[in-house]
Amino acid sequence: MRVLWLRLGLLAALLAVWEVAGRAANPLLAVPPSAVLPALRDLLLLRSYPELPASLWLTLREIGAAYMLAVAAGLGCGFMLGMHRLVGRVWGPMLAALYAVPAVVWYPSLMLFFGLEAASKIAFGFLLGFFPITLAVLAGVRQVNPQLVTVAHAYGAGAVTVFRRVMLPSMLFTLVGGLRTGLALCVIGVIVGEILGSKAGIGTLINHAYGLLRTADYVALVLVTLVLVVGSDVLASLLERRAQRWTE
Amino acid sequence: MTAARGELIAIEGVTKRYLTSSGPVEALHDVSLSVGEGDFCTLIGPSGCGKSTLLGMLGGLVAPDEGRLLVDGQPVTTPDPRRVATVFQDAGLFPWRTALQNVEFGLELQGVPAARRRRTASELLGPLGLSGFAEKYPRELSGGMKQRVAIGRALAIDAKILLMDEPFGALDEQTRVLMGEWLLDIWRRTLKTVIFVTHSLHEALFLSTRVAVMTARPGRIKSMLELSMEYPRSMESPEMAALRAKLWSEIREESLRAMR
Amino acid sequence: MQVRVLQLVTVLAALVSWEVVARAGWVDPLFVPAPSAVARALLRIGGTAFAGLGDTLGKTAVAYALSVTLGVSAGVVVGSVRLLRDVMSPYVIALYGIPKILVLPWIVLLLGYGTTPAVVYGALHGLFPIMVLVMGAVRDVDRTLVTVARSFGATTWQLYWKVLLPAIVPSVLAGMRLGIMFCLLGVLVVEMFAGVRGMGYVMGSLANGFQAPELFAATGLVSAASIAIVLALDHLNDKLSHWRG
């Protein structure tokens, strides 16, 4: 209880510092929270950026497309590497090494390939989401107790039954964790892509507000984007909890 | 034979309560015990009877709610490695230190120069049966070896009193018996005063000069048993069998209470 | 051994088939240049690319030093003081999770174009993963070890120096491995967004100029550098954590 109050107190103190500093600073560089609220109201009432719903919708569709591709490719790739021992041992470390490269190095190439439209954002979101999902599947497959598989085979279970009744339940926890991380990274990938160069979407609006030094609008747009980011993660965590209950 | 020697440890009317989510629980109730110099005093009793708490108080890690504990006539308030060394059930070795460095630990804290503490620790490794293992890390040692390193770490600081909290509790039966024989040998050579917590009747009867049977929670001293037989003891003698039966009947009663 | 050979074969096969596909004209060389063209491009832009890489790695090094120092010390302090940890950990985890790119425009607004925003943003990226890992490690230090040290009369200073810090070494190293990637990523993002020098800027300009072979060469160079750095850290990790087995 005390901890909760201290947490809120800390937040309030930070906001107060921001307010005081924001009032003292150059209004082009910093805005106090009290100035953000009207900007947020204007934004939500579609006064400052009437194209907000369309932009959000585009960004959401980009995220959706990127995530679907990442899940499909990640599951496919992960199971392929996980099921065949040799393939896994040869390509697994190579994949891990590629994962050590900061993904943003691929972004200029993606822009060159796919242009400034949605496709390059989808590709970048996909790239970010693909790795954690693949690696989670790989780790999950390794978690399956081979003894259980042997027992299931001994009781006459076929490959499909073994997969559904033995493998999937034992790896579900890791798998779902990977899917959650994958979604978070897809969201980040799309937003990063939009901010680094785009013609439409929420990132474009952020760049626009920043470019025109409409700092209050910029902060309001960032807050809206944060709702999107946090919302997607909350959704994923709800699904994660459901999956956990299902395994138990 | 114990009363003849001077009193080293005095526990006077000690009570300890813990706050749990379901309210306060009394772990120890009005415990008094006196231990003479050179004694091997064993505390035995059902799980949760506060044996470890009592040991923690003697080590200065836990403060009593009532009563007081005296070592050498002085009240225990904080850990005092000059007088008391503790061996824990989980060996508690530092995994990043070699066996030798683990034995050196207490001396290092006291600021003993490196060369001297190395010499002290090295000399201990022989009697510990760890001569070839000085440079091994804990993960490379067996359970029994780890526990011997932990005992060596306690012996190295050369405190008069050795507190041992189920030191062999995690070992298998055979290793346990051998470790008991080894500890007996060490104790008789170093003349330490030992307070030993165990669940094992065998250990209690084989090692101790005195055995204190504790009751189920809240822990109290139910009875004291003085053992005056010569070492090494034959566990098959009729006298021992009778003692064993007596001890077991007392502990059995308390363990049954604790299970309820 | 067999695995190494097969990995080499994989890379060679990929390069050869890529070369064949490009030469056969199945893909537009404007977008997908052949590996041989990329190699020639690397020679052409070698000077610029290496200068850019040096610039980027220099900023990354400063950012990294900042985020390791701050991340480890803040992680140890917050992790070892119960109240601080309870109050702060949700904020730290939230800051770790949210996309830092959202504050990038503001950082550039505040600090202008150049080296400073890149260092600050890179450090910001590296700080939180390190701090989160260290906090967790401090929280999870085996309580028995602390009790043992106390029973041997350890002072607070000795508890930190001889128990807590050695115990978290593996997590600090894991954090440092993660942190270097995040720092490099942060620096590259700033260079792409508002750079005047550095590899991110070079790559951004090459992409805008549709110079695919040069862009591929630059991308390969940065990737190779970051893989080399991570492998070096892995090696260091193995050496320093030998006691873990």
Side-chain angles (χ1 to χ4, degrees):
Chain A
M1 203 54 215
R2 187 168 66 124
V3 166
L4 203 66
W5 283 113
L6 282 171
R7 279 183 196 162
L8 289 174
L10 183 64
L11 192 64
L14 286 176
L15 284 173
V17 169
W18 179 12
E19 180 75 37
V20 170
R23 284 188 188 188
N26 179 344
L28 291 181
L29 297 183
V31 285
S34 55
V36 171
L37 285 176
L40 190 63
R41 188 195 59 217
D42 285 351
L43 181 69
L44 293 178
L45 294 176
L46 306 184
R47 285 187 203 142
S48 47
Y49 283 100
E51 63 270 50
L52 179 71
S55 303
L56 271 177
W57 177 232
L58 175 68
T59 303
L60 275 175
R61 275 182 301 162
E62 286 168 354
I63 292 171
Y67 190 52
M68 281 197 296
L69 287 171
V71 169
L75 291 181
C77 219
F79 277 114
M80 190 180 76
L81 294 184
M83 298 294 198
H84 299 275
R85 274 200 52 181
L86 187 63
V87 178
R89 278 184 51 207
V90 173
W91 287 353
M94 298 177 75
L95 205 68
L98 273 184
Y99 192 37
V101 177
V104 79
V105 308
W106 314 116
Y107 191 62
S109 308
L110 294 176
M111 281 213 293
L112 185 124
F113 270 124
F114 297 109
L116 282 179
E117 309 287 338
S120 59
K121 281 80 208 165
I122 295 172
F124 192 53
F126 159 77
L127 199 64
L128 258 68
F130 166 77
F131 280 103
I133 297 175
T134 309
L135 294 176
V137 177
L138 259 175
V141 172
R142 288 204 194 104
Q143 273 168 8
V144 177
N145 182 350
Q147 251 176 3
L148 290 182
V149 177
T150 315
V151 170
H153 277 306
Y155 278 89
V160 177
T161 316
V162 168
F163 181 77
R164 271 192 46 203
R165 304 269 170 207
V166 180
M167 295 194 60
L168 211 51
S170 356
M171 62 185 293
L172 197 71
F173 189 75
T174 312
L175 183 65
V176 172
L179 287 174
R180 182 178 169 189
T181 314
L183 177 60
L185 284 175
C186 271
V187 172
I188 291 183
V190 167
I191 293 171
V192 168
E194 285 189 354
I195 288 184
L196 286 183
S198 60
K199 289 178 175 164
I202 191 80
T204 312
L205 297 189
I206 289 178
N207 274 348
H208 181 266
Y210 144 77
L212 294 182
L213 294 179
R214 289 163 60 173
T215 312
D217 288 338
Y218 158 69
V219 179
L221 281 164
V222 166
L223 289 178
V224 169
T225 315
L226 277 181
V227 170
L228 178 77
V229 171
V230 174
S232 68
D233 195 54
V234 168
L235 199 70
S237 75
L238 288 181
L239 291 177
E240 189 178 25
R241 212 165 297 165
R242 239 193 122 113
Q244 280 168 17
R245 231 177 331 164
W246 187 62
T247 8
E248 284 155 10
Chain B
M1 70 186 261
T2 49
R5 299 182 206 172
E7 182 188 79
L8 184 61
I9 300 170
I11 301 171
E12 297 174 353
V14 158
T15 295
K16 180 72 191 175
R17 283 175 289 268
Y18 285 111
L19 281 173
T20 67
S21 48
S22 51
V25 168
E26 200 167 40
L28 290 169
H29 180 79
D30 193 20
V31 173
S32 294
L33 179 69
S34 131
V35 181
E37 194 154 1
D39 262 345
F40 194 117
C41 176
T42 294
L43 302 175
I44 193 165
S47 303
C49 73
K51 305 181 293 270
S52 297
T53 305
L54 196 57
L55 226 51
M57 287 182 187
L58 280 172
L61 294 167
V62 181
D65 290 322
E66 287 163 34
R68 57 177 195 163
L69 302 99
L70 302 175
V71 169
D72 252 350
Q74 296 194 5
V76 177
T77 46
T78 51
D80 182 0
R82 283 166 305 150
R83 291 204 181 85
V84 181
T86 309
V87 177
F88 297 86
Q89 174 175 11
D90 167 13
L93 299 184
F94 301 101
W96 54 87
R97 287 170 164 257
T98 61
L100 188 67
Q101 288 167 340
N102 264 293
V103 174
E104 279 178 47
F105 179 75
L107 298 173
E108 193 179 314
L109 291 192
Q110 292 171 12
V112 175
R116 218 173 82 211
R117 64 178 194 244
R118 178 127 308 183
R119 202 170 55 240
T120 311
S122 303
E123 282 166 6
L124 268 170
L125 288 183
L128 291 169
L130 293 164
S131 298
F133 296 89
E135 299 307 318
K136 297 280 185 218
Y137 287 93
R139 68 177 164 89
E140 301 168 299
L141 302 174
S142 70
M145 286 176 167
K146 280 186 202 158
Q147 213 42 266
R148 272 177 282 163
V149 174
I151 293 171
R153 182 171 59 186
L155 291 174
I157 57 173
D158 204 24
K160 269 196 247 178
I161 300 169
L162 202 54
L163 305 178
M164 306 184 89
D165 189 359
E166 292 190 52
F168 310 141
L171 305 179
D172 64 72
E173 190 60 35
Q174 287 82 358
T175 313
R176 226 180 147 137
V177 171
L178 294 176
M179 289 290 286
E181 289 172 8
W182 171 83
L183 177 64
L184 185 65
D185 186 47
I186 291 280
W187 170 63
R188 294 178 71 197
R189 276 200 274 165
T190 55
L191 304 171
K192 301 280 180 203
T193 305
V194 179
I195 311 245
F196 189 86
V197 165
T198 186
H199 277 113
S200 157
L201 291 177
H202 177 275
E203 272 170 15
L205 294 170
F206 186 71
L207 295 170
S208 325
T209 57
R210 312 169 71 198
V211 178
V213 179
M214 292 184 67
T215 62
R217 180 180 296 156
R220 279 173 287 113
I221 306 281
K222 181 184 168 89
S223 59
M224 288 294 295
L225 209 62
E226 306 281 339
L227 303 177
S228 51
M229 302 88 86
E230 285 299 312
Y231 296 102
R233 293 170 179 164
S234 155
M235 297 306 284
E236 277 77 38
S237 71
E239 187 191 8
M240 199 57 108
L243 273 171
R244 190 186 177 90
K246 178 167 177 259
L247 196 55
W248 170 234
S249 76
E250 297 207 10
I251 295 167
R252 183 185 140 86
E253 195 179 306
E254 291 307 318
S255 298
L256 280 173
R257 283 213 307 139
M259 278 169 72
R260 261 185 254 122
Chain C
M1 200 56 227
Q2 189 202 7
V3 170
R4 292 262 172 238
V5 172
L6 285 173
Q7 284 173 345
L8 203 65
V9 169
T10 308
V11 174
L12 287 177
L15 286 175
V16 167
S17 47
W18 176 9
E19 182 80 34
V20 168
V21 166
R23 291 214 174 180
W26 294 338
V27 289
D28 189 343
L30 188 62
F31 293 110
V32 188
S36 53
V38 173
R40 278 195 303 274
L42 182 61
L43 290 178
R44 251 195 326 275
I45 62 156
T48 330
F50 274 105
L53 187 62
D55 191 62
T56 300
L57 292 182
K59 289 180 220 167
T60 306
V62 180
Y64 187 51
L66 278 174
S67 51
V68 170
T69 317
L70 284 175
V72 173
S73 45
V76 168
V77 171
V78 175
S80 60
V81 181
R82 176 82 193 274
L83 186 66
L84 268 182
R85 187 175 76 219
D86 286 348
V87 172
M88 308 250 312
S89 56
Y91 292 118
V92 176
I93 289 165
L95 285 174
Y96 179 29
I98 63 167
K100 256 69 73 190
I101 186 90
L102 294 174
V103 295
L104 176 57
W106 185 64
I107 287 179
V108 172
L109 208 58
L110 218 58
L111 302 173
Y113 283 40
T115 307
T116 322
V119 169
V120 169
Y121 187 71
L124 198 63
H125 255 108
L127 174 67
F128 291 104
I130 296 176
M131 192 172 162
V132 167
L133 270 172
V134 172
M135 264 168 61
V138 171
R139 186 195 55 212
D140 296 339
V141 167
D142 186 351
R143 301 309 300 170
T144 313
L145 299 184
V146 177
T147 311
V148 168
R150 286 219 299 137
S151 80
F152 278 93
T155 59
T156 308
W157 170 249
Q158 284 173 327
L159 272 183
Y160 273 91
W161 197 242
K162 296 203 184 281
V163 181
L164 216 59
L165 290 182
I168 63 169
V169 163
S171 302
V172 170
L173 290 170
M176 285 175 69
R177 185 190 193 279
L178 210 58
I180 187 74
M181 281 158 57
F182 277 94
C183 282
L184 183 56
L185 181 107
V187 169
L188 285 168
V189 167
V190 176
E191 287 173 351
M192 284 179 194
F193 182 78
V196 282
R197 277 203 314 271
M199 210 52 178
Y201 170 70
V202 170
M203 289 164 68
S205 335
L206 290 172
N208 287 332
F210 284 93
Q211 291 173 276
E214 286 81 1
L215 175 58
F216 276 40
T219 306
L221 201 60
V222 188
S223 312
S226 57
I227 290 177
I229 292 170
V230 169
L231 288 180
L233 276 180
D234 280 348
H235 183 67
L236 185 75
N237 197 334
D238 288 346
K239 270 191 138 177
L240 285 175
S241 310
H242 50 104
W243 49 267
R244 272 190 310 164

